[in-house]
Amino acid sequence: MIAAADLASSYELVVIGGGPAGLAAATLAARAGVATVLFDENPGIGGQIYRAITSTPVSDRAILGKDYWDGAVLADEAKASGALIANGATVWSLDRQRLVGVSIGGKARVIEAGRVIIATGSQERPFPIPGWTLPGVMTAGAAQTALKAQGLVVEGRTVLAGSGPLLWLLAAQTLRAGGRIAAILDTTPRRNWLQAMFHLPDFALSPYFAKGLALLREVRAKVPVHRVGTIEAVGTDRVREVVFSGAGGTRRLPVDLLLLHQGVVPNVNLANAAGVAHVWNDRQICFVPVLDADFGSSVPGIAVAGDGAGIAGGTAAAERGRIAAIAAVRALRPDSVVPDTQAIRQRLQREEMGRAFLDWLNRPADSFRLPVGDTIACRCEEVTAQQVRETAQMGCEGPNQMKAFLRCGMGPCQGRLCGLTVTELIAAERKTSPDEVGYYRLRPPVKPITLAELASLPISEVERKAVER
Amino acid sequence: MFKRLAEKGPAISITVDGKPVTARAGDTVASALLGAGIDHCRTTPVTGAPRAPYCLMGVCFDCLVTVDGVGSRQGCLIPVREGMKVETQLGRREAGR
């Protein structure tokens, strides 16, 4: 375990995030002789897709599957690369001068970076349905994390709801681990096929095609699947029932655990706070950073690799990390030998091939992104969709002004679970585009730190003299 | 809501609101609470509604708990340690305390 005091005051390259993009980037750069540190806030490397890859208690490899275990190679390579890997390291600040504020074990440091690669990946898209804040309602990603990292498998009456590859992957992994799933509520609108089918030929050539079909078959053989247009989690102290409606009318199921998922979106908080320009991506219905071909952002010396650059999956994330790392090595040490970028770009292209199909097919319906009435939009400050809509109708033009009216986005999650909802609600009410409306302007610290952690920052003699008179 | 596939790894004793809870090496505070069947870990500052871990990946901040006297820690990011004292948090802006 690396302590804050063990860190140098500067590194040529700071990589933030220990998922596939961060691991691949750190490995490549360190092998090229670049002084590299990787900060990851989790107890172990792997990110979300390869969560707990070095420590998972799930020893039967069939349960999590080959794609998960492929991550062990990335982890091993990173550990042997010479890059310094710091886990339990929370990056709470990054600025345009590439000063990185990081906290490890309750002690903070500010580190100078020659270059920075943000590899903070994605998060699950907000799924604002009635009752989504009740205990017993979690994300599918949460259940998968608990399975990978702690070998916890669902118990009792479990219902999965939503759309997207992860929902089906979690279902398959749960069944293989001996867990039971009472039902899957599929929210994918049928009309999505109209757009998706144009991209089917590309998808058929991508590695995800055969895998996807096999997963669907495996799960559908064991779990009843209902196609639904509305979902509500019902209960007072915790979720007791899930109420859903579809072609067959309205039904209720008693439930102990409701797992929601409707795709993933880039985790923009750190890049946004660093001043990286973002743009609305209409196909993926989210904000993505504006990047060049080497994943360099609008802020000199800061790149964004992996799913944080736009959703493309774990294998693509590693390739993107390598491309960003090659650009960093070339800038820092022009004489170093680096791998051929062209071969990496070809592999990346192959990985990204089926993405348009997946994006269009799994595009969440408006009704699951644009809530109405008392449904909570901002979980932290308990702001309802109706409040956001009414405030927009009154003339509030954007999410930052909305904070002043309603405090949405000002709670501990700093807009991570309401940002897209609030932007889209304002755009809908004001009949404009999400790009026009924009996103929360985020500021450091992007993760909470205590005053004691700030006070633990080393102070130079010059700084001390500046305040002691 | 969850059961353990196998009781692997050394047991780690922590307390939650003063009551003993057995966690496993590899647990985070949030997973230890889930594994022990504890149904919520805090109440919200605005309405006092109960909340439990939601995303388990550091995004949602619903698993905030007091760990060894420090409030509002993200339970899903903190590995358990022998003797750790975890307290569930009362929200409502401290008014009810």
Side-chain angles (χ1 to χ4, degrees):
Chain A
M1 181 88 189
I2 310 289
D6 300 336
L7 296 172
S9 58
S10 73
Y11 288 87
E12 288 179 285
L13 175 65
V14 171
V15 178
I16 302 162
L23 292 172
T27 301
L28 192 146
R31 281 178 180 170
V34 169
T36 303
V37 64
L38 187 157
F39 294 129
D40 185 70
E41 73 175 336
N42 288 294
I45 50 175
Q48 305 311 332
I49 188 160
Y50 306 129
R51 162 73 71 158
I53 190 70
T54 58
S55 63
T56 179
V58 184
S59 46
D60 177 355
R61 291 195 165 216
I63 291 176
L64 295 174
K66 181 183 176 297
D67 285 353
Y68 173 78
W69 287 102
D70 282 350
V73 177
L74 277 178
D76 288 343
E77 286 177 349
K79 281 191 283 186
S81 69
L84 181 68
I85 298 176
N87 277 107
T90 299
V91 171
W92 43 266
S93 174
L94 170 66
D95 67 12
R96 302 179 77 92
Q97 284 71 47
R98 297 183 301 283
L99 288 174
V100 181
V102 61
S103 196
I104 306 174
K107 296 270 188 284
R109 291 285 303 273
V110 175
I111 305 291
E112 289 173 32
R115 305 274 294 202
V116 172
I117 297 177
I118 298 175
T120 50
S122 59
Q123 60 162 79
E124 289 174 277
R125 178 189 296 283
F127 204 142
I129 57 163
W132 71 310
T133 53
L134 288 170
V137 182
M138 299 176 80
T139 69
Q144 200 193 34
T145 295
L147 177 61
K148 288 171 178 172
Q150 287 90 27
L152 289 169
V153 65
V154 301
E155 188 182 39
R157 296 162 298 188
T158 302
V159 171
L160 272 61
S163 60
L166 177 67
L167 194 75
W168 298 93
L169 177 58
L170 170 72
Q173 290 170 331
T174 300
L175 296 170
R176 291 174 205 156
R180 306 244 295 253
I181 299 167
I184 293 179
L185 310 180
D186 184 354
T187 59
T188 318
R190 263 187 216 284
R191 64 178 178 281
N192 281 4
W193 273 100
L194 294 175
Q195 274 286 345
M197 59 186 250
F198 293 111
H199 306 280
L200 187 56
D202 276 349
F203 183 63
L205 294 173
S206 95
Y208 290 103
F209 179 67
K211 287 178 196 170
L213 280 182
L215 267 186
L216 286 176
R217 261 200 304 270
E218 180 181 354
V219 174
R220 283 179 178 276
K222 291 184 182 160
V223 182
V225 179
H226 308 279
R227 199 172 275 268
V228 304
T230 68
I231 304 172
E232 188 174 343
V234 179
T236 47
D237 55 333
R238 71 177 328 283
V239 62
R240 302 283 173 188
E241 271 187 323
V242 56
V243 182
F244 55 95
S245 65
T250 301
R251 288 189 57 186
R252 316 173 81 89
L253 281 179
V255 69
D256 299 306
L257 183 60
L258 174 62
L259 299 173
L260 303 175
H261 178 80
Q262 54 176 353
V264 297
V265 294
N267 193 341
V268 296
N269 280 52
L270 185 65
N272 179 312
V276 167
H278 285 71
V279 65
W280 180 256
N281 181 316
D282 213 31
R283 199 180 87 196
Q284 299 198 332
I285 337 178
C286 59
F287 286 98
V288 296
V290 180
L291 301 170
D292 64 23
D294 292 325
F295 299 96
S297 77
S298 61
V299 178
I302 298 181
V304 185
D307 269 1
I311 304 307
T315 324
E319 305 298 1
R320 288 170 164 187
R322 291 183 184 111
I323 292 170
I326 288 170
V329 174
R330 285 193 173 136
L332 293 161
R333 297 191 172 222
D335 299 335
S336 284
V337 180
V338 287
D340 177 21
T341 327
Q342 208 189 339
I344 298 174
R345 287 188 198 281
Q346 276 170 4
R347 290 203 299 271
L348 177 60
Q349 206 180 0
R350 193 174 123 77
E351 285 297 328
E352 287 176 340
M353 245 184 136
R355 190 48 51 178
F357 176 82
L358 288 174
D359 287 344
W360 286 115
L361 180 68
N362 296 306
R363 189 180 175 85
D366 288 357
S367 57
F368 289 116
R369 305 193 326 275
L370 296 157
V372 294
D374 289 340
T375 302
I376 284 178
C378 165
R379 297 170 62 97
C380 295
E381 295 293 327
E382 299 179 272
V383 179
T384 68
Q386 188 61 26
Q387 286 176 286
V388 176
R389 286 178 184 272
E390 281 172 2
T391 310
Q393 284 163 9
M394 264 165 34
C396 176
E397 290 178 356
N400 294 303
Q401 200 180 13
M402 195 64 81
K403 290 182 193 171
F405 283 105
L406 299 176
R407 286 195 54 84
C408 54
M410 296 179 75
C413 97
Q414 295 175 305
R416 288 169 174 89
L417 283 188
C418 71
L420 289 173
T421 310
V422 168
T423 290
E424 282 211 89
L425 283 175
I426 296 171
E429 290 298 334
R430 298 189 62 80
K431 301 190 172 45
T432 179
S433 69
D435 207 34
E436 199 64 36
V437 169
Y439 196 72
Y440 293 131
R441 174 71 180 93
L442 299 163
R443 289 180 182 82
V446 297
K447 285 292 229 177
I449 52 166
T450 62
L451 281 173
E453 280 172 292
L454 274 181
S456 75
L457 283 171
I459 301 165
S460 72
E461 203 49 36
V462 178
E463 288 164 327
R464 193 183 302 280
K465 282 192 175 140
V467 290
E468 279 176 12
R469 296 249 171 210
Chain B
M1 299 193 293
F2 290 92
K3 64 176 183 222
R4 288 182 197 274
L5 267 182
E7 296 291 334
K8 277 190 187 168
I12 293 179
S13 302
I14 64 170
T15 62
V16 179
D17 293 333
K19 298 189 193 77
V21 163
T22 303
R24 293 277 156 187
D27 265 339
T28 61
V29 171
S31 73
L33 296 180
L34 289 172
I38 291 165
D39 61 355
H40 73 276
C41 60
R42 69 178 180 109
T43 56
T44 60
V46 182
T47 68
R51 289 284 172 88
Y54 176 72
C55 81
L56 290 186
M57 49 186 94
V59 177
C60 76
F61 291 72
D62 264 329
C63 63
L64 295 180
V65 284
T66 301
V67 176
D68 291 335
V70 181
S72 293
R73 303 292 311 276
Q74 288 185 274
C76 71
L77 295 177
I78 301 173
V80 290
R81 236 180 322 97
E82 185 67 32
M84 185 178 260
K85 290 186 175 63
V86 178
E87 294 162 84
T88 56
Q89 290 192 176
L90 294 177
R92 227 149 195 184
R93 307 240 143 99
E94 303 290 317
R97 286 210 174 187

